[in-house]
Amino acid sequence: MSENPPNGPQYGSDPNQPQYPQNPAGNYPPQGSYPPPGGNYPPPGNYPPPGNYPPPPTAGNAAYGAGSHLPGGAQPGSLGLRFGARFIDGIIVSIVAFIIYALAPSGFIGNFILGLASAVLGFAYFVFLESSRGQTLGKQILGLRTLGAAGGNPTQAEAAKRNAFLLLNIVPLLGSFLVLIAYIVIAVTINSSPTKQGKHDELAGGTQVISTK
């Protein structure tokens, strides 16, 4: 009966050369796949391939509200067109306000009623038309439309916030002056914004006026 050869130097081999035991049969990881030193391993899971991370926020994407919801080919409404539309809308509101003023007593009470009518009528006019159809009559004539922060028509809350400065007309004596200051601030912020969004658009959460022509 034959016996297994003992572990050790075999006949015909160089006795001065060290002998190493052979690895037993089994499944071994391929060369180079051993874990790095230190044992810091990422947790298991599905990771995105390199280079697919989202870009940093820039003007016009979701971080800037309405700029990311512009319909195809649309451009932000220019400062000149926007104030032209406000001028047309202001004439419409003023006609109704002066009719009410003509029926009111003269003097301080009449001036207060004129300011109150201008403030309430103007505020209601802009909030109702912007939230219901996205356009006042002035914006419709000049090819402009107001978008809400999420696209589409503004909500009533958004329309109310972006037009709240019109209520300053209620303040006796100083109302018209305060509204003028608000218009100047809005004009400066629209002109300096890359997306033509004014301070009132910012306060409304990111509304925006676009050109539809």
Side-chain angles (χ1 to χ4, degrees), residues 4 10 28 62 72 87 90 104 136 146 153 171 178 188 190 201-202 213:
N4 294 328
Q10 304 296 318
Y28 294 90
F87 181 76
T136 59
T146 304
N153 295 339
V171 180
L178 295 176
V188 171
I190 289 175
D201 292 311
E202 178 187 340
K213 293 184 177 180

Side-chain angles (χ1 to χ4, degrees), residues 138-178:
K139 285 186 173 68
Q140 183 177 359
I141 292 172
L142 296 183
L144 298 174
R145 181 186 172 195
T146 304
L147 296 180
N153 295 339
T155 64
Q156 287 188 351
E158 290 172 340
K161 290 176 182 178
R162 75 186 306 274
N163 292 290
F165 69 94
L166 296 174
L167 295 175
L168 292 173
N169 266 321
I170 298 176
V171 180
L173 302 178
L174 296 177
S176 298
F177 176 74
L178 295 176

